[in-house]
């Protein structure tokens, strides 16, 4: 996959984006984009800047492990703001630093924010839950 110049603006931490999150140790973009949560944006003044993103999945959301939190339709406002189509859990233990470019990020279906990878944002009511997952993801085993 060849990197194309991105035409979208820098994201903010807390955005949920459409990402080709690497699936294994080969560190290659996945052919299937999925939601990812931007945790940190590194030097967005640099045209080749990077972001730290956490893995998102709609699989096995009924079970949470240390370092994970979920967003479900039962949290109507938070779920709508996140831009998700299915209950989704984010695994902050599975966070990677990626270049914010078209190799790793894609325009989501229906493009809710135009030609940008943004699906939505983390609702303020979820910040405490996300912070607890972050803390648990960094705890020694």
């Amino acid at each position: 996959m060849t990197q194309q110049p991105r035409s979208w603006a820098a994201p903010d931490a807390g955005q949920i984006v459409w990402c080709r999150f690497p699936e294994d140790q080969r560190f290659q973009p996945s052919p299937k984009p999925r939601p990812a949560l931007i945790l940190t944006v590194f030097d967005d003044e640099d045209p080749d800047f990077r972001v730290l993103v956490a893995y998102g999945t709609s699989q096995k959301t009924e079970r949470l492990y240390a370092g994970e939190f979920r967003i479900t339709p039962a949290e109507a406002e938070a779920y709508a703001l996140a831009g998700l189509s299915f209950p989704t859990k984010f695994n902050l233990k599975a966070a990677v630093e990626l270049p914010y470019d078209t190799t790793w990020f894609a325009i989501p279906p229906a493009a809710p924010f135009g030609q940008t990878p943004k699906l939505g944002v983390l609702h303020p009511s979820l910040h405490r839950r996300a912070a607890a997952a972050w803390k648990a993801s960094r705890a020694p085993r």
Side-chain angles (χ1 to χ4, degrees), residues 6-129:
R6 65 180 166 78
S7 59
W8 53 76
D12 295 316
Q15 282 186 1
I16 297 170
V17 293
W18 205 230
C19 179
R20 294 184 184 98
F21 200 93
E23 294 178 337
D24 56 34
Q25 299 302 323
R26 292 177 296 154
F27 205 74
Q28 298 293 318
S30 168
K32 176 188 172 193
R34 64 181 61 254
L37 174 64
I38 295 184
L39 302 172
T40 306
V41 178
F42 300 102
D43 194 8
D44 58 0
E45 298 300 319
D46 179 346
D48 299 320
F49 72 93
R50 302 171 75 79
V51 294
L52 180 66
V53 293
Y55 177 83
T57 182
S58 60
Q59 302 298 307
K60 301 178 184 174
T61 59
E62 65 284 344
R63 172 97 187 203
L64 293 178
Y65 297 93
E68 297 180 340
F69 76 98
R70 77 179 143 235
I71 305 172
T72 68
E75 304 159 297
E77 191 175 333
Y79 186 74
L81 194 60
L84 300 168
S85 299
F86 301 98
T88 302
K89 70 178 179 179
F90 293 94
N91 181 350
L92 279 61
K93 282 188 175 183
V96 296
E97 189 176 319
L98 298 173
Y100 192 64
D101 61 31
T102 59
T103 299
W104 296 98
F105 297 89
I107 309 301
F113 291 89
Q115 296 301 299
T116 174
K118 183 178 176 182
L119 283 168
V121 296
L122 195 62
H123 190 276
S125 67
L126 299 175
H127 288 187
R128 187 176 301 162
R129 195 180 309 167

